Amino acid sequence: MKKISFGTDGWRGIIADDFTFENVRIVAQAISEYVLETYENPTIIVGYDYRFHSENFAKVCAEVLSSNAIHVLLSKQPIPTPAVAHAVVKKGVSGAIMITASHNPYYYNGIKFIPHYGGPANTQITDKIVKNVERIQKEGLGSLNPDEKLIDYFDHKEEYINDVLNLIDKKAFEGKTLKVLVNPMHGCGIGYVDEALKRLGCEVKVINNWRDPLFGGHLPEPNLENMKDLLEVIKSEKFDLGLATDGDADRFGVVNPDGEYISANEVIFMLADYLIKTRGKASSIARTVATTSMLDKIAEKHNMRCIETPVGFKYIAECLMKEDSLIGGEESGGLSIKGHVPEKDGILADLLVAEAVAKLQKSPKEILRSIESEYGKLYNKRIDVRTTHQKKEEALERIKNFGKSEVAGLRCLEYRTRDGLKVILENSSWFLVRPSGTEDLIRIYGESPDEQKLEEILLDVRGYLGL
């Protein structure tokens, strides 16, 4: 019996291996028991993405919930994760189950539990659900008697788009016709980013906007490697902007008119600077330990705190809810803002970028150059090193006992161990080493104002780790 565990963003597994109908029933039962212990007369939303069998896994979850006398609102069609989170808050329900494996390969599927506050479940919640899972696996699931009378169907698309557009400055688009290329990557962003942009008066062309459970043979993750078709189209035709979303539309992708990919780090600090100037300040900005320290510079300039969290949007969500954060983001491509649900939202991120381009009448690259002329340029990079289990364990020992006083000729100023090992170096440089919790893989992140020095830092760290 394979272990079912919740990672930074839910449980994911390989379809027909560990992600089976039986295991989905076990997880749905575990969530049902948590919900019944936590809420009176609960109602749970169930949403799903475009992956293979997602609609059927969602139906199974609805049946299990109804077997526990829980009222269910089951989406009529595939729905983005941020729209599910929005529905939870808007409808005032107890939470939601979302069937998705987000940006993972096509042969994965997964389950996210979204509590009543409309953000990722925190560790305390997922620990309780996992304990329920372990007990059910030992004792057996028992008989289930679904009650169809407790299952209602809903469509939240219109309400979600309307509310997201209320967060956008519509005047920024007046008198301008922004030409935008949109790539939902065969995922849940289909009909969302493009529809919202059309309502803002943009001219829109969409690619990859039909269901393909194989995602066109690519990972449904909007990065440089997986968006080559978008890059080709944007370079061959004249567009002001390219925008993308991942498999469940909680991550964003941005491309300049010349076909240059704009990294998630760049998008986050670009929007942080833009929002401060157009929406006003808040108490803080939130970023994960792996995300650019350009946000620290921007926060300091405006007398705001920059809060560093462990990797995982659930920590950013806490800052959005409790620390008056104007924006929270992570280098892997997720962000949300004050006044919205505390769940990463690729659709909102894309629309905010379009607003900035329209209002400032500049391309994303030109906006970035303006910000960098004020704060200086920072280069950042992440390398994923696949290795053997033994070498990974040896690298972890070296991380625990890290004693170097300098790296690549730069003095080590501070050591942080809250999530992996992050070492702050002189000259506004740093590196972070984090092991994967599920694979024999070590991730090394780095940032420096000197591109050559950044490569030296990463090379030095990799050599120290024996990788």
Side-chain angles (χ1 to χ4, degrees), residues 173 176-178 196-203:
F173 295 85
K176 303 153 191 170
T177 304
L178 208 64
L197 287 170
K198 288 173 184 175
R199 295 185 194 184
L200 291 167
C202 299
E203 183 181 334

Side-chain angles (χ1 to χ4, degrees), residues 172-173 176 178-180 239-242 254-258 262 270 273-274 277 352-374:
F173 295 85
K176 303 153 191 170
L178 208 64
K179 189 176 179 183
V180 187
F239 289 94
D240 299 303
L241 183 63
V254 178
V255 176
N256 207 60
D258 62 0
I262 308 299
M270 177 176 74
D273 183 77
Y274 176 75
K277 291 173 179 174
L352 286 171
V353 171
E355 179 197 315
V357 168
K359 189 175 183 71
L360 301 177
Q361 289 290 279
K362 294 179 180 179
S363 70
K365 195 194 295 184
E366 289 169 337
I367 298 171
L368 290 172
R369 283 177 182 161
S370 176
I371 296 170
E372 289 167 348
S373 69
E374 184 175 357

Side-chain angles (χ1 to χ4, degrees), residues 366-410:
E366 289 169 337
I367 298 171
L368 290 172
R369 283 177 182 161
S370 176
I371 296 170
E372 289 167 348
S373 69
E374 184 175 357
Y375 295 98
K377 185 170 178 62
L378 288 174
Y379 298 90
N380 44 66
K381 187 175 180 179
R382 180 183 106 184
I383 54 176
D384 292 352
V385 185
R386 295 194 177 275
T387 184
T388 64
H389 184 70
Q390 182 179 339
K391 284 195 171 184
K392 179 184 176 183
E393 291 301 312
E394 291 171 357
L396 290 176
E397 278 302 310
R398 291 190 177 100
I399 292 170
K400 288 178 187 175
N401 300 304
F402 188 83
K404 287 171 69 73
S405 59
E406 68 172 45
V407 171
L410 298 176

Side-chain angles (χ1 to χ4, degrees), residues 264-273 276 285-288 291-301 304-307 327-330 375 378 447:
N265 273 321
E266 291 172 320
V267 172
I268 293 165
F269 77 70
M270 177 176 74
L271 289 181
D273 183 77
I276 290 170
I285 293 171
R287 61 163 179 78
T288 62
T291 304
T292 177
S293 55
M294 182 71 86
L295 292 167
D296 301 62
K297 294 187 175 190
I298 293 170
E300 183 180 6
K301 170 89 180 267
M304 297 166 65
R305 288 187 301 144
C306 187
I307 302 171
I327 184 171
E330 55 184 3
Y375 295 98
L378 288 174
E447 185 168 70

Side-chain angles (χ1 to χ4, degrees), residues 228-242:
K228 290 181 179 176
D229 49 358
L230 183 147
L231 300 180
E232 288 299 317
V233 175
I234 204 169
K235 284 190 287 188
S236 63
E237 302 178 34
K238 189 174 176 60
F239 289 94
D240 299 303
L241 183 63

Side-chain angles (χ1 to χ4, degrees), residues 56-354:
N56 297 316
F57 289 127
K59 180 64 174 173
V60 163
C61 288
E63 290 171 351
V64 172
L65 289 163
S66 72
S67 295
N68 286 271
I70 296 172
H71 180 220
V72 180
L73 294 176
L74 177 59
S75 182
K76 290 180 179 177
Q77 62 272 316
I79 180 172
T81 293
V84 170
H86 179 269
V88 167
V89 175
K90 193 77 174 180
K91 296 179 182 299
V93 300
S94 309
I97 291 174
M98 177 67 188
I99 304 294
T100 182
S102 190
H103 60 285
N104 278 51
Y106 70 89
Y107 46 84
Y108 277 83
N109 215 323
I111 292 179
K112 295 183 182 183
F113 177 66
I114 301 172
H116 66 278
Y117 51 78
N122 60 38
T123 304
Q124 290 81 4
I125 294 172
T126 56
D127 283 351
K128 291 178 181 178
I129 292 171
V130 169
K131 281 184 180 178
N132 289 344
V133 167
E134 291 170 349
R135 179 182 46 76
I136 295 166
Q137 283 184 314
K138 288 179 183 177
E139 298 176 358
L141 188 58
S143 61
L144 296 170
N145 299 296
D147 186 350
E148 286 290 334
K149 293 178 183 177
L150 288 173
I151 302 174
D152 292 315
Y153 294 83
F154 80 105
D155 182 348
H156 195 64
K157 180 178 178 178
E158 197 64 25
E159 199 165 3
Y160 167 78
I161 290 178
N162 286 338
D163 277 8
V164 168
L165 285 174
N166 285 335
L167 296 169
I168 302 300
D169 178 8
K170 299 179 183 67
K171 290 184 179 179
F173 295 85
E174 291 179 359
K176 303 153 191 170
T177 304
L178 208 64
K179 189 176 179 183
V180 187
L181 177 62
V182 175
N183 180 15
M185 304 190 81
H186 302 289
C188 284
I190 295 171
Y192 281 80
V193 175
D194 51 321
E195 177 61 30
L197 287 170
K198 288 173 184 175
R199 295 185 194 184
L200 291 167
C202 299
E203 183 181 334
V204 182
K205 177 174 180 174
V206 192
I207 61 173
N208 301 321
N209 60 335
W210 62 93
R211 183 180 187 180
D212 178 2
L214 301 181
F215 301 108
H218 304 288
L219 282 176
E221 181 176 7
N223 59 24
L224 181 62
E225 179 63 28
N226 300 317
M227 294 200 300
K228 290 181 179 176
D229 49 358
L230 183 147
L231 300 180
E232 288 299 317
V233 175
I234 204 169
K235 284 190 287 188
S236 63
E237 302 178 34
K238 189 174 176 60
F239 289 94
D240 299 303
L241 183 63
L243 298 171
T245 48
D246 75 333
D248 66 332
D250 66 351
R251 295 187 179 196
F252 59 83
V254 178
V255 176
N256 207 60
D258 62 0
E260 183 175 331
Y261 174 72
I262 308 299
S263 73
N265 273 321
E266 291 172 320
V267 172
I268 293 165
F269 77 70
M270 177 176 74
L271 289 181
D273 183 77
Y274 176 75
L275 289 171
I276 290 170
K277 291 173 179 174
T278 59
R279 307 297 201 270
K281 296 192 295 183
S283 298
S284 67
I285 293 171
R287 61 163 179 78
T288 62
V289 64
T291 304
T292 177
S293 55
M294 182 71 86
L295 292 167
D296 301 62
K297 294 187 175 190
I298 293 170
E300 183 180 6
K301 170 89 180 267
H302 295 280
N303 298 312
M304 297 166 65
R305 288 187 301 144
C306 187
I307 302 171
E308 182 175 274
T309 76
V311 170
F313 205 81
K314 58 188 174 184
Y315 302 108
I316 297 293
E318 289 179 5
C319 294
L320 290 165
M321 291 186 288
K322 300 175 183 177
E323 301 291 346
D324 188 37
S325 293
L326 178 65
I327 184 171
E330 55 184 3
E331 62 82 35
S332 55
L335 70 80
S336 190
I337 66 170
K338 183 178 179 179
H340 191 43
V341 291
E343 176 64 270
K344 53 184 181 282
D345 190 337
I347 297 163
L348 173 64
D350 281 353
L351 296 178
L352 286 171
V353 171

